[in-house]
Amino acid sequence: LYAAYGYTHDEIAALFVAGFGSSMIFGTFVGSLADSMGRKRGALLYVATYALSCVTKHWKTYWVLMVGRILGGVATSLLFSVFESWLVSEHERRGFEPSSLGTIFANAQSGNSIVAILAGVAGEWASNLRPLRPVAAGVMVGGYATPFDLAALVLCVGGLIVAATWTENYGGAAAASLTLSSSLDAFRLGLADLAADPRILLIGLVSAAFEAAMYAFVFEWTPALTVRAAPPPPYGEIFSVMMLCCTCGTRVFGIAQRYMATERTMHALILLSAAALTVPAVLAGFNPLLCLLAFLLFEIAVGVYFPAVATLKSRLVPDTRRSTIYNLFRVPLNVLVLVVLLARMTSRVIFTTSVLLLAAAAAMQHRLCKLLAISHHHPDDP
């Protein structure tokens, strides 16, 4: 869409930087806000914020698009904290079996992958309904702007479902008051939790390193499969196969849960991911077939990762400040992604950096496994 509006590569990159920067800066506060005002309200705030971000895509004016990216960054912080926080708290409140939470996370990730495929097909269909054209000064409709209208519609439907069916829960046993002081207190106490419990800090750093490598993969998988003087590969079909592999990964997680602890599963998948991304670090742009096979293996690992990390976070992070801490986890993630976006590295250097991040994540996860083993031997530990 941005290219269709005539913006250069550097201008488009600045828009993406604004989105991740917004998530890094404002995300630390919206998490504590959600813990104070309620996770249901936080979910509805996500719907409103991202719907507004979708609306801005109709303006060709650069500063309006920049505002849209900033809103999108705030919405992303809410997306990756309030929904999971609401689910974990509600699951505990209703007295469901703790072991079923991992299954719920696996099914959710499987559903996400399927929806991603369907969204890609629907977006392609919507963008071809009518050509991109101006209807007023700087206001565009049709073309690549249409999928954002479809996204806003789906968001509103989801918001209505949340409003009608969810109960409210808060960062604490009782409803908290929505004040600046309460939000700042939640933020301060969230930092104190990270400092006091190395297990919480480690799972946050592991998730930041893994997801930074994952975002780098998202940015660079198409260049890695593109060979000069050769026709472009079928990116749409490849994306669909990747999402199917991600769905398979969620099934692998379900099987692994029967035979090994979640933290051990996490350690194994991180090592597998590092091995997979070593292939494009060496062969990006030279052997697309081997790179593709490595990417499919990485997507299986991603499918295992999301339910695994969600299960571990649900065990380790205190519910009283869950949304706050989840957003604090995203601060180092956004810093790492911004470095990748701003450093102008080649694909092979980016994949090499991703392998190093995954190696660091594997070392930290190994340490977390040891700490959790100690906790299991001392049940009185928190």
Side-chain angles (χ1 to χ4, degrees):
L1 176 65
Y2 301 139
Y5 285 165
Y7 292 111
T8 65
H9 179 273
D10 288 344
E11 289 170 326
I12 294 172
L15 290 171
F16 282 97
V17 167
F20 284 102
S22 165
S23 182
M24 179 180 66
I25 295 169
F26 297 110
T28 55
F29 299 103
V30 297
S32 57
L33 187 67
D35 280 334
S36 299
M37 73 179 184
R39 282 74 178 264
K40 176 181 177 179
R41 292 190 183 95
L44 294 175
L45 180 60
Y46 159 76
V47 171
T49 305
Y50 204 78
L52 285 174
S53 178
C54 291
V55 171
T56 63
K57 308 304 179 188
H58 285 285
W59 272 263
K60 196 175 180 181
T61 308
Y62 191 75
W63 74 264
V64 177
L65 295 173
M66 183 66 74
V67 169
R69 286 297 303 168
I70 292 171
L71 289 172
V74 175
T76 300
S77 294
L78 291 165
L79 173 65
F80 284 98
S81 58
V82 295
F83 288 88
E84 192 173 318
S85 297
W86 181 89
L87 170 63
V88 174
S89 182
E90 197 69 10
H91 185 275
E92 182 178 343
R93 187 185 70 82
R94 298 192 183 195
F96 295 140
E97 285 294 326
S99 59
S100 67
L101 199 55
T103 303
I104 294 172
F105 285 133
N107 290 337
Q109 180 59 30
S110 180
N112 284 343
S113 302
I114 294 171
V115 170
I117 297 172
L118 297 176
V121 173
E124 185 71 20
W125 167 79
S127 65
N128 292 322
L129 286 176
R130 52 182 179 175
L132 187 66
R133 59 185 178 86
V135 292
V139 181
M140 311 291 287
V141 296
Y144 293 122
T146 309
F148 290 97
D149 298 332
L150 186 59
L153 177 62
V154 173
L155 276 169
C156 291
V157 172
L160 290 174
I161 294 173
V162 169
T165 63
W166 284 24
T167 57
E168 188 60 277
N169 62 52
Y170 299 83
S177 59
L178 177 55
T179 65
L180 177 61
S181 176
S182 64
S183 296
L184 290 176
D185 284 344
F187 177 69
R188 177 179 56 81
L189 291 171
L191 289 174
D193 287 332
L194 291 177
D197 191 338
R199 299 172 304 173
I200 299 177
L201 180 61
L202 280 170
I203 191 61
L205 292 175
V206 168
S207 64
F210 186 94
E211 291 175 34
M214 183 188 69
Y215 276 115
F217 161 77
V218 170
F219 298 146
E220 294 297 325
W221 73 266
T222 50
L225 297 181
T226 303
V227 179
R228 291 181 182 178
Y235 296 121
E237 287 84 349
I238 292 172
F239 173 78
S240 297
V241 174
M242 285 181 177
M243 291 300 99
L244 288 174
C245 287
C246 193
T247 302
C248 291
T250 64
R251 301 303 96 191
V252 172
F253 170 76
I255 296 171
Q257 285 289 88
R258 304 173 193 166
Y259 303 102
M260 59 195 302
T262 304
E263 57 269 22
R264 297 293 178 186
T265 302
M266 275 275 290
H267 192 224
L269 75 88
I270 294 170
L271 291 173
L272 179 64
S273 300
L277 293 190
T278 300
V279 175
V282 177
L283 299 176
F286 296 98
N287 193 321
L289 179 58
L290 280 179
C291 286
L292 175 59
L293 293 175
F295 291 162
L296 297 180
L297 186 62
F298 179 70
E299 283 292 343
I300 293 174
V302 169
V304 180
Y305 166 79
F306 277 108
V309 75
T311 301
L312 278 178
K313 288 191 295 185
S314 72
R315 284 166 45 190
L316 296 174
V317 178
D319 189 57
T320 50
R321 290 172 291 278
R322 188 175 299 279
S323 295
T324 301
I325 294 174
Y326 281 10
N327 274 294
L328 288 172
F329 288 167
R330 295 187 63 79
V331 173
L333 165 63
N334 285 308
V335 170
L336 291 169
V337 173
L338 286 173
V339 169
V340 171
L341 284 173
L342 295 172
R344 297 176 178 270
M345 297 182 285
T346 64
S347 287
R348 292 174 70 180
V349 172
I350 288 176
F351 281 118
T352 300
T353 303
S354 298
V355 172
L356 294 175
L357 284 170
L358 290 169
M364 290 185 288
Q365 184 65 28
H366 179 68
R367 175 60 180 161
L368 178 59
C369 288
K370 287 189 172 183
L371 291 176
L372 289 173
I374 293 172
S375 298
H376 292 156
H377 285 101
H378 299 82
D380 291 336
D381 290 348

